[in-house]
Amino acid sequence: MTLSKSHALWTGDLKTGKGTMSIGKKETPAPYGFGSRFEGTDGYTPEELLGAAHAGCFSMALANKLASSGAKVNSVKTVAEVKLEKGAAGFSITGIQLNCEADVEGVDEATFAKAAEEIKSGCPVSKALAAVPMQLSAKLLSKKA
């Protein structure tokens, strides 16, 4: 079993308070606040960190699946766009768009697309976020020779 920890500290009320999130063993602080989350000011948001975790997990799992099938994986880059919206019951994460570009040799478009679609619902972070609607755009940069 692997146990990963991140930390958050918030001080003050919602509008004027501030916080820091620290990621993993290095505990590098990532400042966040109302302004960064809802008004576009400097700082991070919990949704950005969630998106980074999802993009990282997806990229790693897709690279493993493709390499395990004999392909040569040069790179897998994924951007996760996490949508936060206010509804009648308050704020909710209402969708995640994964945009992936992979430089992979020795795999055809159909095999790549199938693998990416399987990983969209199969990587550990995707499984944890299964209640959130997810979309995937996966582009293969290299093709089977």
Side-chain angles (χ1 to χ4, degrees):
M1 177 182 87
T2 300
L3 179 64
S4 298
K5 288 195 241 180
S6 292
H7 311 271
L9 172 65
W10 183 264
T11 56
D13 63 29
L14 176 63
K15 288 262 188 172
T16 61
K18 61 183 178 179
T20 57
M21 296 176 280
S22 299
I23 304 162
K25 298 173 194 134
K26 292 187 179 187
E27 297 188 26
T28 303
Y32 73 111
F34 185 87
S36 64
R37 195 169 193 192
F38 299 109
E39 298 172 343
T41 62
D42 284 343
Y44 296 92
T45 72
E47 293 75 31
E48 288 171 328
L49 298 177
L50 183 67
H54 198 184
C57 186
F58 178 87
S59 293
M60 183 183 273
L62 181 57
N64 181 58
K65 183 163 188 69
L66 295 169
S68 295
S69 70
K72 180 182 180 220
V73 179
N74 297 315
S75 66
V76 178
K77 178 182 178 183
T78 306
V79 175
E81 298 173 354
V82 179
K83 185 186 259 185
L84 179 70
E85 293 183 300
K86 185 174 184 180
F91 284 94
S92 297
I93 293 173
T94 59
I96 298 173
Q97 171 71 43
L98 296 173
N99 298 307
C100 174
E101 288 187 348
D103 181 0
V104 182
E105 299 172 32
V107 67
D108 60 44
E109 291 275 353
T111 302
F112 171 75
K114 182 178 180 206
E117 199 58 43
E118 287 174 8
I119 296 303
K120 179 184 96 175
S121 60
C123 81
V125 174
S126 288
K127 289 177 185 178
L129 299 172
V132 179
M134 291 179 208
Q135 300 296 318
L136 172 65
S137 171
K139 181 179 178 184
L140 179 62
L141 300 177
S142 297
K143 299 191 180 357
K144 190 171 188 170

